[in-house]
């Protein structure tokens, strides 16, 4: 009898610990600015749905996936998306790839935006790095726009730092430049800037005109934040 009571108590403690672990979940980050802060370049309705519905859904799905696997619990988002090959279950891996990537990419995207009046310009160091790799800021923006326009379907265009140089890449879906083993090695690098070219990011205001959205995006790039990522 006594052993039975102890065993029951032990089970209860384990359940409490398990619940406590599930409480430590990824949360939707605050934007740090009002939904209409990027008007007219990115409209408030798009921002609200994009952040409050799309990004939130990635987080909900990611938390469900993490809660289902003891191997995933307690890891940072960078650890999860940077080592997807460690997840042996193919379906679970795909869920973390899509939704973990979605969480990381969107957090990075929100942190890359600033109202047009405070957008600024690349730092001297970043300007020098851009000039060394592309010839000029204008040429970098052209290459970035080409990557954004030629990404078929949904995905992202990126400015990345790789082996001491800068490069323009793009990824499908919610893949990100740190997803080793998932994206080609040529596209692995440190992301400095990314633009979301999923239709949900621009369709309400720009409809099929992705090029107009990408051109408008430059007005709300937070160059201070982007410049600090260099190095
Ligand atoms: Mn998005």
């Amino acid at each position: 009898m006594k052993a039975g009571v102890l065993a029951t108590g032990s089970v209860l403690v384990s359940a409490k610990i398990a619940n406590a672990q599930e409480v430590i979940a990824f949360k939707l980050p605050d934007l740090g600015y009002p939904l209409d802060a990027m008007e007219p370049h990115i409209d408030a309705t798009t921002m609200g749905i994009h952040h409050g519905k799309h990004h939130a859904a990635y987080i909900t799905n990611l938390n469900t996936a993490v809660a289902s696997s003891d191997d995933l619990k307690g890891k940072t988002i960078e650890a999860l998306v940077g080592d997807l090959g460690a997840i042996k279950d193919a379906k679970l891996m795909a869920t973390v790839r899509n939704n973990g990537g979605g969480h990381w990419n969107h957090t990075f995207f929100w942190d890359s935006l600033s109202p047009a009046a405070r957008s600024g310009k690349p730092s001297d160091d970043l300007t020098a790095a851009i000039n060394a790799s592309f010839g000029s800021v204008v040429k970098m923006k052209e290459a970035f726009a080409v990557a954004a326009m030629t990404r078929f379907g949904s995905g992202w265009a990126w400015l990345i730092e790789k082996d001491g140089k800068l490069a323009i890449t793009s990824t499908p879906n919610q893949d990100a430049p740190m997803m080793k083993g998932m994206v080609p090695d040529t596209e692995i690098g440190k992301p400095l800037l990314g633009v979301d070219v999923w239709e949900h990011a621009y369709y309400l205001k720009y409809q099929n005109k992705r090029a107009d959205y990408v051109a408008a995006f430059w007005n709300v790039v937070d160059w201070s934040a982007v410049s600090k990522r260099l190095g």
Side-chain angles (χ1 to χ4, degrees), residues 27-152:
K27 288 194 176 70
L28 184 66
D30 290 335
L31 286 175
Y33 41 74
L35 292 176
D36 64 359
M38 308 307 154
E39 291 270 11
H41 308 291
I42 304 176
D43 60 287
T45 305
T46 296
M47 286 294 287
I49 297 170
H50 199 177
H51 176 255
K53 304 295 183 188
H54 290 281
H55 190 176
Y58 296 127
I59 292 171
T60 299
N61 294 337
L62 175 64
N63 283 335
T64 301
V66 168
S68 76
S69 166
D70 287 341
D71 291 341
L72 302 183
K73 286 176 188 167
K75 289 192 173 178
T76 63
I77 187 62
E78 287 79 11
L80 286 170
V81 301
D83 192 16
L84 289 164
I87 306 173
K88 297 307 175 195
D89 181 276
K91 194 175 168 194
L92 184 62
M93 191 281 280
T95 301
V96 175
R97 180 180 186 172
N98 290 333
N99 294 283
H103 176 37
W104 193 92
N105 288 346
H106 286 82
T107 302
F108 184 79
F109 186 61
W110 311 134
D111 289 346
S112 302
L113 300 181
S114 175
R118 290 193 272 115
S119 173
K121 58 180 186 168
S123 68
D124 290 348
D125 285 349
L126 181 56
T127 301
I130 289 171
N131 289 344
S133 295
F134 304 99
S136 68
V137 173
V138 170
K139 283 192 174 359
M140 181 279 288
K141 288 183 175 180
E142 286 172 0
F144 188 90
V146 168
M149 290 306 297
T150 54
R151 167 49 55 197
F152 185 77

Side-chain angles (χ1 to χ4, degrees), residues 50 54 58 106 156 174 196 198 200-201:
H50 199 177
H54 290 281
Y58 296 127
H106 286 82
W156 294 72
Q174 295 297 353
D196 186 343
W198 284 57
H200 70 224

